[in-house]
């Protein structure tokens, strides 16, 4: 009753403004309720006053627990009670082992840690001085079937049209959740296609887990370096499981490039948020590994220097063959303004005299920024192929 007296005592123009604001909020809530019915809990900021989840817990983009959002207008706060990938989790799927900083020492000494780093080194060596066309010349039946599945996953985008609403969300389109749901539901069939009907259930669930979570976080509608680590782990599991050999490393590099191309389409189509990006101080908002493999491709190149990333003509002419140039070109497509301002680290790296030093420096940086960071690897999961031991 008191609030009503306050409102009615306001001037006419202020009362109409408050009523319009209230109507706008009600419209947003109605749209959110409708979206909840179709896509599940949206958990998307409602207005510009909504705070985003803490970035120090979300750097990887891998699904996580306890994300708190501050609701506007005195609405009740909500907390994500369960990690997304732990809901309805199959017993054969990989499990978390890194729960706190105290587990990092065991992680760094584990065989899985050493395998992932040696696998990156081996792929980097396989990409040395080779164009993507040359890398694709090597074929393998299993890798060809992964290409086939990636093509099918790309077609799922057409089955999940964008949800049109400017007021419902700011950071990403919730139709991405529908996309991720369909990919998850079809993953058993995808794994049967890739591994064959005679493959073990353990391998199907483990490799399938890394694969289905490599395209982004359905809850936060974002993508980051944690997701590309999962796809790399999927490729590594194919080698550990005996489905491919390390001799297929060149073909695995080319396959990784196909995956990156698909993720970029997802990023632009669904407007995925960078997962825990460092902003202008980070290497890239979304990925890291294409720069390592791409720098290896350009080692001792007769004409392309590290500084040529600033040459639009060189980028456009060679981006289809070199992952590093394609990554720089993509940044220019999605960002505006001087390159040195929005990508200061890449700008500084362009002053490194050789591609070989660039490649080695990026591998060391990957260890520091991804593999050795608790906030990055804490939600990585382990199974029978990649063990926490």
């Amino acid at each position: 009753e008191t609030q009503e007296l306050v409102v009615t005592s306001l001037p006419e123009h202020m009362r109409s403004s408050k009523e319009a604001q209230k109507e706008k909020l009600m419209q947003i809530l109605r749209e959110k309720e409708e979206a909840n019915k179709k896509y599940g809990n949206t958990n998307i900021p409602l207005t510009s006053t909504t705070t985003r989840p803490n970035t120090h817990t979300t750097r990887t983009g891998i699904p996580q627990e306890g994300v708190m959002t501050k609701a506007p207008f005195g609405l009740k706060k909500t907390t994500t009670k369960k990690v997304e990938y732990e809901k309805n989790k199959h017993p054969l799927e990989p499990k978390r082992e890194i729960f706190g900083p105290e587990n990092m020492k065991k992680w760094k000494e584990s065989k899985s840690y050493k395998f992932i780093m040696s696998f990156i080194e081996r792929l980097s060596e396989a990409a040395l001085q080779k164009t993507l066309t040359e890398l694709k010349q090597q074929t393998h039946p299993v890798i060809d079937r992964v290409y086939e599945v990636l093509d099918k996953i790309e077609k799922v985008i057409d089955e999940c049209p964008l949800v049109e609403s400017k007021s419902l969300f700011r950071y990403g389109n919730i139709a991405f959740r529908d996309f991720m749901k369909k990919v998850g539901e079809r993953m058993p069939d995808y794994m049967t296609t890739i591994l064959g009907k005679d493959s073990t259930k353990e391998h199907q669930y483990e490799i399938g887990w890394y694969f289905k979570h490599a395209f982004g976080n359905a809850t936060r509608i974002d993508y980051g370096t944690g997701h590309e680590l999962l796809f790399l782990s999927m490729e590594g599991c194919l080698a550990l499981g005996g489905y491919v050999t390390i001799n297929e490393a060149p073909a695995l590099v080319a396959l990784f490039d196909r995956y990156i191309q698909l993720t970029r389409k997802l990023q632009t189509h669904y407007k995925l948020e960078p997962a825990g990006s460092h902003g202008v101080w980070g290497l890239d908002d979304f990925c890291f590994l294409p720069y390592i493999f791409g720098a290896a491709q350009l080692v001792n190149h007769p004409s392309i220097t590290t500084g040529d990333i600033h040459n639009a003509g060189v980028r456009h002419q060679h981006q289809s063959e070199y992952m590093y140039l394609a990554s720089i070109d993509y940044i220019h497509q999605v960002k505006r303004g001087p390159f040195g301002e929005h990508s200061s680290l890449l700008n500084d790296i362009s002053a490194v005299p050789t591609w070989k030093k660039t490649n080695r420096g990026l591998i060391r940086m990957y260890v520091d920024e991804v593999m050795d960071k608790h906030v990055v690897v804490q939600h990585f999961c382990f199974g029978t192929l990649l063990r926490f031991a």
Side-chain angles (χ1 to χ4, degrees):
E1 184 178 356
T2 303
Q3 291 177 347
E4 181 64 27
L5 290 174
V6 172
V7 173
T8 55
S9 64
L10 292 174
E12 180 66 28
H13 70 281
M14 293 185 66
R15 289 205 304 271
S16 60
S17 176
K18 272 189 168 295
E19 291 172 357
Q21 185 179 10
K22 182 179 179 180
E23 177 58 32
K24 182 177 180 180
L25 175 60
M26 295 304 298
Q27 176 63 25
I28 292 173
L29 294 175
R30 284 194 294 270
E31 291 181 355
K32 182 176 176 63
E33 184 178 358
E34 292 175 1
N36 283 340
K37 292 178 181 178
K38 183 174 182 181
Y39 299 99
N41 181 25
T42 57
N43 196 26
I44 297 298
L46 295 179
T47 74
S48 59
T49 62
T50 305
T51 59
R52 295 182 57 200
N54 296 331
T55 56
H56 71 276
T57 63
T58 59
R59 183 174 298 168
T60 66
I62 298 176
Q64 47 219 292
E65 191 171 7
V67 176
M68 177 73 75
T69 59
K70 178 182 177 183
F73 303 102
L75 298 177
K76 186 178 179 180
K77 293 181 179 180
T78 58
T79 303
T80 303
K81 295 182 178 179
K82 197 169 186 66
V83 180
E84 174 192 338
Y85 59 72
E86 289 183 347
K87 293 179 180 179
N88 303 318
K89 191 178 182 69
H90 193 279
L92 295 178
E93 291 185 325
K95 298 175 177 59
R96 285 185 63 193
E97 298 287 353
I98 305 174
F99 296 99
E102 65 276 6
N103 302 123
M104 288 300 292
K105 185 176 185 295
K106 184 176 181 180
W107 156 242
K108 294 177 184 179
E109 295 173 352
S110 69
K111 292 181 180 179
S112 294
Y113 180 102
K114 294 180 176 63
F115 170 77
I116 290 173
M117 287 311 305
S118 65
F119 191 62
I120 291 174
E121 292 272 9
R122 183 65 185 89
L123 295 189
S124 182
E125 292 173 5
L128 201 63
Q129 302 178 11
K130 290 185 176 68
T131 64
L132 283 170
T133 298
E134 292 170 333
L135 292 170
K136 292 174 183 176
Q137 288 178 355
Q138 186 185 53
T139 60
H140 187 279
V142 171
I143 295 176
D144 289 342
R145 292 197 288 270
V146 179
Y147 274 111
E148 178 185 336
V149 169
L150 287 174
D151 290 340
K152 290 180 179 179
I153 292 175
E154 185 170 10
K155 292 178 181 179
V156 176
I157 297 175
D158 298 329
E159 302 176 26
C160 307
L162 299 176
V163 177
E164 300 297 336
S165 174
K166 294 182 180 180
S167 59
L168 181 59
F169 44 82
R170 295 165 53 207
Y171 300 116
N173 196 292
I174 56 176
F176 179 66
R177 292 189 178 141
D178 196 21
F179 167 85
M180 290 295 289
K181 181 180 179 181
K182 290 181 184 296
V183 170
E185 291 172 345
R186 300 172 189 181
M187 191 53 62
D189 292 336
Y190 292 157
M191 283 297 101
T192 301
T193 298
I194 294 171
L195 304 181
K197 295 181 179 180
D198 296 332
S199 59
T200 65
K201 289 292 183 181
E202 288 81 1
H203 287 181
Q204 289 182 17
Y205 279 104
E206 182 171 355
I207 297 174
W209 186 91
Y210 293 120
F211 200 2
K212 72 181 178 182
H213 287 292
F215 298 100
N217 184 318
T219 300
R220 287 178 45 80
I221 315 183
D222 63 9
Y223 175 90
T225 54
H227 299 106
E228 69 167 3
L229 174 60
L230 295 181
F231 189 85
L232 179 86
S233 300
M234 186 276 293
E235 289 191 335
C237 285
L238 290 178
L240 289 171
Y243 299 99
V244 300
T245 69
I246 201 63
N247 294 328
E248 276 73 54
L252 290 172
V253 175
L255 178 64
F256 192 87
D257 177 70
R258 173 67 182 94
Y259 156 75
I260 288 294
Q261 291 179 25
L262 175 53
T263 60
R264 286 173 180 158
K265 183 173 182 179
L266 292 172
Q267 291 157 24
T268 55
H269 185 70
Y270 292 112
K271 294 181 173 58
L272 303 187
E273 180 78 356
S277 168
H278 291 296
V280 298
W281 306 111
L283 182 73
D284 187 288
D285 284 345
F286 295 105
C287 62
F288 201 118
L289 293 172
Y291 294 96
I292 293 177
F293 304 147
Q297 287 183 277
L298 290 162
V299 168
N300 295 330
H301 194 280
S303 61
I304 302 177
T305 67
T306 54
D308 281 335
I309 67 167
H310 303 294
N311 188 322
V314 172
R315 291 199 313 270
H316 296 161
Q317 181 179 354
H318 298 286
Q319 57 91 19
S320 63
E321 293 289 357
Y322 296 101
M323 299 175 72
Y324 200 104
L325 298 180
S327 299
I328 299 295
D329 197 60
Y330 177 70
I331 289 177
H332 279 282
Q333 294 176 33
V334 298
K335 292 189 175 183
R336 297 291 181 267
F339 186 78
E341 292 184 6
H342 59 63
S343 303
S344 59
L345 186 53
L346 285 169
N347 187 63
D348 293 343
I349 291 174
S350 68
V352 176
T354 67
W355 286 110
K356 184 176 181 180
K357 288 186 176 180
T358 299
N359 172 260
R360 302 315 304 172
L362 287 170
I363 291 178
R364 290 193 296 271
M365 188 186 302
Y366 189 81
V367 172
D368 294 336
E369 294 299 321
V370 179
M371 297 296 287
D372 287 359
K373 286 289 180 68
H374 171 253
V375 293
V376 174
V377 299
Q378 63 178 327
H379 296 288
F380 191 86
C381 289
F382 303 86
T384 59
L385 295 172
L386 287 175
R387 298 176 180 270
F388 189 64

